Amino acid sequence: MTENSVLTEQPRSRAEDPDRAASTAARAEAVARVAREYADAVDGESRFPRETIDEARAQGLLAAPMTEADGGLDYSITELCRLLEGVGRECTSSAMILAMHYSQALCLTRHADTEWLREFTRKVASEGLLLASATTEVNIGGDTRTSTCAVRPAGDGRVALHKTCPVISYGAYADAILVTARRNEDAASSDQVVLVVEAADLQLERQRGWDALGMRGTCSESFELDATTSEDAMFRVPFETISAQTMLPGAHCLWASAWLGMATQAGLTARSVVQKAARKTPGTPPPSALRLAELEVQLQSMTDVVRSSVARYEAAYEDPETCESMQFAIAMNTLKVNGAEAVRQIVGDALVIVGISGFANRSPVSLARLYRDSIGPSVMVNNDRILLHTATMQLVSRGQR
């Protein structure tokens, strides 16, 4: 439970540039500081963390995944994930919103294949636009690789679609949404494309609000979505490819890094409480010291799994064949499940160590908000569905690693 700076241990090629490392750390610390200041208000009011996102925009971090040629910061996957570890320690909702935004920004950066999309990528970087996604749909059981809605022609080089979305996180606050749909009305449910729809071309009719147990600032509301956009705002590359190479592994690495930040903060809080108790009985460790050591084992294990998985994706990033392999998909699914289970266990065990002071909302060592947030990763993208998908792949896998 070392109090790391927000960004440390960058890949060697990044670390060799001290100016870049210092700038990266300063930007990340600025956002984490604002996230810390407003985290309780965001949670208490169940509201969008506008201050944190505004600071990320001011720091140029909404454009972090974009290349320098497109006006971005050209952050690596590792740099993005370490940033989210820092923000995740302070405000889960802010970290998750940035993670979801980055997963969509990476899709643009890697797969924009029309002039409209390439120009929009530059616009996201120059204006600091916030991106959301609408990949889920009613009656598909949470399977993002299936759509019932379809793209249909709207004339004058435009297309339209209607989608019933059980959740679009921070959809009412996004500047654009990446929406999945069947390629056309005759296409199979798995023949999907992604379209970029800017807020001005969207109609979102709220069906259900967001008054949740945790992650309250993500504003993950339900909408009826109607959209029209340029036909060139539709990626030509199939969603199957975008999902395998970028959206799924990117999201799972980014989410797990935010959750690692949460777990790290819980561990630090528990350690501070045990240290305080130890100072009262010099030479005799308090009973909670053993529990703290056990917590360190869990936290170290989670850290190793998350960071090694991020490194695995970094290494495979430019290798489409590896990214689209079954074993890589299984590894990324395993990361999501492992991270979601680990953060819930670690925060819960830290709460037991801290005791009643951690249970109280207004305590200086409160873990109440963090504990409520830690439940979300296992249910917001349900682990059982991911495990079933993994099991299906394993049944036909030849077991290569």
Side-chain angles (χ1 to χ4, degrees):
M1 289 161 287
T2 304
E3 291 197 55
N4 300 320
S5 61
V6 173
L7 285 163
T8 58
E9 302 176 25
Q10 297 300 324
R12 184 173 301 276
S13 60
R14 303 282 181 178
E16 288 172 352
D17 184 348
D19 291 338
R20 177 189 175 89
S23 173
T24 298
R27 293 174 197 265
E29 292 287 359
V31 174
R33 186 166 53 249
V34 174
R36 181 187 315 122
E37 180 179 356
Y38 290 97
D40 286 338
V42 167
D43 178 69
E45 299 167 24
S46 191
R47 68 164 175 84
F48 179 73
R50 57 183 178 275
E51 297 87 356
T52 307
I53 301 306
D54 285 346
E55 182 64 24
R57 181 178 291 110
Q59 294 291 335
L61 288 175
L62 294 187
M66 276 70 181
T67 66
E68 292 178 355
D70 284 335
L73 298 176
D74 200 18
Y75 276 20
S76 68
I77 290 293
T78 299
E79 288 174 305
L80 293 172
C81 288
R82 296 301 172 84
L83 184 158
L84 290 172
E85 285 185 32
V87 179
R89 285 176 50 177
E90 311 298 348
C91 175
T92 304
S93 293
S94 297
M96 290 300 289
I97 290 169
L98 288 172
M100 288 183 276
H101 164 80
Y102 287 149
S103 69
Q104 304 311 298
L106 286 169
C107 292
L108 274 173
T109 300
R110 301 189 76 192
H111 302 287
D113 52 6
T114 71
E115 185 52 42
W116 192 101
L117 289 169
R118 286 187 286 270
E119 179 58 33
F120 181 73
T121 303
R122 293 187 285 269
K123 182 178 178 179
V124 171
S126 64
E127 298 182 16
L129 302 184
L130 180 66
L131 306 176
S133 69
T135 55
T136 58
E137 192 173 355
V138 295
N139 300 323
I140 62 172
D143 182 5
T144 61
R145 285 290 294 111
T146 300
S147 291
T148 56
C149 69
V151 177
R152 61 182 189 277
D156 296 324
R158 296 180 68 79
V159 293
L161 65 86
H162 173 85
K163 185 168 187 172
T164 302
C165 305
V167 59
I168 306 178
S169 293
Y170 61 96
Y173 304 90
D175 297 301
I177 299 177
L178 277 68
V179 186
T180 53
R182 287 184 294 140
R183 184 175 299 277
N184 54 56
E185 292 177 303
D186 295 325
S189 61
S190 60
D191 184 7
Q192 297 168 284
V193 292
V194 184
L195 302 89
V196 172
V197 186
E198 295 186 83
D201 293 326
L202 273 172
Q203 288 185 345
L204 293 175
E205 184 179 342
R206 184 180 287 105
Q207 301 298 301
R208 174 183 49 76
W210 183 246
D211 185 10
L213 178 68
M215 294 194 184
R216 290 165 59 78
T218 61
C219 300
S220 300
E221 300 172 312
S222 172
F223 295 98
E224 292 285 345
L225 180 152
D226 283 285
T228 60
T229 189
S230 169
E231 62 183 5
D232 289 332
M234 182 169 66
F235 290 78
R236 301 299 183 251
V237 62
F239 176 59
E240 179 182 18
T241 300
I242 296 173
S243 177
Q245 293 184 12
T246 306
M247 190 177 289
L248 185 146
H252 288 185
C253 287
L254 294 160
W255 291 345
S257 297
W259 304 337
L260 176 57
M262 296 165 61
T264 299
Q265 185 59 44
L268 291 170
T269 301
R271 187 178 69 180
S272 71
V273 170
V274 176
Q275 286 176 331
K276 183 178 180 180
R279 286 192 289 269
K280 296 178 180 179
T281 57
T284 305
S288 55
L290 181 59
R291 302 284 82 81
L292 182 67
E294 292 174 337
L295 191 71
E296 176 63 27
V297 173
Q298 296 178 61
L299 185 55
Q300 186 62 60
S301 177
M302 182 181 183
T303 301
D304 291 346
V305 167
V306 172
R307 292 186 176 175
S308 64
S309 297
V310 171
R312 181 174 188 162
Y313 185 35
E314 184 95 59
Y317 195 71
E318 301 297 340
D319 183 357
E321 184 176 352
T322 296
C323 289
E324 293 183 48
S325 70
M326 191 174 299
Q327 287 305 317
F328 184 78
I330 290 173
M332 292 297 107
N333 280 351
T334 300
L335 168 63
K336 190 276 168 186
V337 173
N338 191 311
E341 294 296 314
V343 68
R344 181 162 50 86
Q345 184 70 47
I346 290 169
V347 177
D349 287 354
L351 179 57
V352 172
I353 292 171
V354 174
I356 195 66
S357 296
F359 195 68
N361 281 317
R362 298 290 177 252
S363 165
V365 291
S366 175
L367 290 174
R369 169 169 54 84
L370 201 56
Y371 182 70
R372 289 186 285 103
D373 287 345
S374 74
I375 299 170
S378 295
V379 299
M380 291 178 73
V381 180
N382 195 280
N383 277 354
D384 285 351
R385 177 174 56 79
I386 292 177
L387 286 169
L388 182 60
H389 184 217
T390 298
T392 302
M393 289 190 289
Q394 287 177 315
L395 292 176
V396 297
S397 171
R398 295 182 178 180
Q400 294 94 340
R401 288 306 219 184

